[in-house]
Amino acid sequence: MLAESLALALDPVLLARRSGIDPDPWQAQLLRSRARQSLLLCCRQAGKSATSALIAVDEAIHRPPALVLLLAPALRQSQELYRRVRATLAAAGDLAPPVIEESALRLELANGSRIVALPGKEATIRGYSNVALLVVDEAARVSDDLYQAVRPMLAVSGGRLVLLSTPFGKRGFFHHEYTEGGPGWERVKITAPEVPRIDPQWLAEERNRIGDWWYRQEYLCEFVETDDQVFGYEEIMRAVSNDVQPLFPNGRLVA
Ligand SMILES: Nc1ncnc2c1ncn2[C@@H]1O[C@H](COP(=O)(O)OP(=O)(O)O)[C@@H](O)[C@H]1O
Ligand SMILES: [Mg+2]
């Protein structure tokens, strides 16, 4: 048991395997990376959220007492991330310290580490300091205001920042950091043909279904020109996933 615990401390990939994930090379790289700032440009279904949860749990278990913040574009996505964190901790079993305190979107471990999933609203997230790790899932859809509000929380602690996202046009901080953010970032790009779990035939059918423009953005991770297809986007995403709330839940446009 002690030997396994030590091995886990040395290699977070073992923690991933415990939760049923045999990491792809990019996931293993990110789990072992000590880069201050990492930027993962990933297609849909690459494993962004699963990886976010793993990095968070690894940090909390192995570098206590760590304050780990998880940020997503909206509360619903934060809740989903939090559920994955809980599942990852459960899979770690007695190799993780027990949870001593827990509320809707946060928990504290017996080793003093805390994991907090932030609701995607700027007003409610100010005030954390000494942050060891900030993970931003679907970062291209997080507002610039929110990003500017959370960045200073890492300043004093010298904490680590990890952005994971599918691109969303040539705009916003995610695009800016990826294309012009300078050498201070570890950058990794993962397209759908590189993900072993995505069936090439399914991908070819998907391309026919959603068309070239969407395919390039969602599966080839290209920062395609933003155009006026906002409604087209929502329609497409509703068709391909249940990640996006319906625009017309009661037959009426939500303002
Ligand atoms: N390395 C892996 N091995 C097995 N399953 C994986 C791996 N990475 C991710 N998955 C699974 O693939 C699915 C998509 O992962 P998810 O993290 O939701 O993708 P994303 O957030 O990028 O859309 C999930 O069921 C997840 O558990
Ligand atoms: Mg996800």
Side-chain angles (χ1 to χ4, degrees):
M1 186 58 76
L2 179 63
E4 192 178 359
S5 184
L6 283 173
L8 272 173
L10 294 173
D11 191 350
V13 167
L14 297 176
L15 174 69
R17 294 205 176 117
R18 273 233 159 173
S19 60
I21 289 193
D22 192 9
D24 297 345
W26 69 272
Q27 291 172 317
Q29 178 188 336
L30 188 62
L31 282 165
R32 291 178 177 139
S33 169
R34 299 314 316 144
R36 274 283 296 279
Q37 304 191 113
S38 304
L39 214 157
L40 280 293
L41 181 62
C42 303
C43 68
R44 297 175 67 79
Q45 292 293 308
K48 293 178 293 296
S49 301
T51 308
S52 300
L54 277 167
I55 308 171
V57 169
D58 175 60
E59 182 83 18
I61 294 178
H62 297 130
R63 279 171 287 279
L67 173 56
V68 177
L69 301 183
L70 297 168
L71 182 61
L75 179 61
R76 192 170 40 82
Q77 284 145 311
S78 291
Q79 286 165 334
E80 170 61 22
L81 263 184
Y82 187 76
R83 274 194 290 276
R84 290 194 186 216
V85 162
R86 281 311 264 131
T88 304
L89 268 174
D94 57 2
L95 295 168
V99 174
I100 57 167
E101 207 184 303
E102 182 168 19
S103 56
L105 288 176
R106 65 182 300 284
L107 59 82
E108 182 168 348
L109 299 179
N111 66 7
S113 288
R114 289 173 290 157
I115 301 178
V116 181
L118 301 168
K121 278 243 166 45
E122 190 200 342
T124 50
I125 63 154
R126 290 183 185 278
Y128 289 98
S129 59
N130 212 13
V131 175
L133 169 67
L134 169 63
V135 182
V136 188
D137 193 18
E138 293 297 352
R141 283 155 186 286
V142 167
S143 76
D144 286 355
D145 287 349
L146 207 49
Y147 182 64
Q148 298 309 337
V150 292
R151 268 202 74 106
M153 297 177 190
L154 298 162
V156 176
S157 54
R160 186 172 170 216
L161 173 61
V162 181
L163 310 180
L164 305 97
S165 194
T166 302
F168 189 44
K170 293 181 196 288
R171 62 174 165 224
F173 73 89
F174 183 76
H175 172 253
H176 177 82
E177 301 288 29
Y178 192 83
T179 55
E180 296 167 60
W185 290 89
E186 169 188 45
R187 293 179 178 81
V188 180
K189 177 175 166 180
I190 307 298
T191 65
E194 298 169 88
V195 177
R197 289 168 300 284
I198 300 183
D199 173 32
Q201 192 186 336
W202 179 89
L203 201 54
E205 286 161 13
E206 183 77 346
R207 181 178 204 152
N208 286 336
R209 201 154 69 91
I210 66 176
D212 229 43
W213 195 92
W214 297 107
Y215 182 80
R216 284 167 55 206
Q217 173 171 285
E218 302 297 318
Y219 295 104
L220 298 183
C221 309
E222 291 179 25
F223 290 102
V224 284
E225 285 295 348
T226 317
D227 61 14
D228 54 5
Q229 296 192 27
V230 177
F231 285 90
Y233 180 84
E234 299 297 341
E235 279 154 22
I236 296 279
M237 289 306 107
R238 232 176 9 258
V240 298
S241 89
N242 51 17
D243 269 13
V244 175
Q245 294 287 345
L247 266 179
F248 306 94
N250 308 310
R252 277 193 215 139
L253 178 63
V254 178

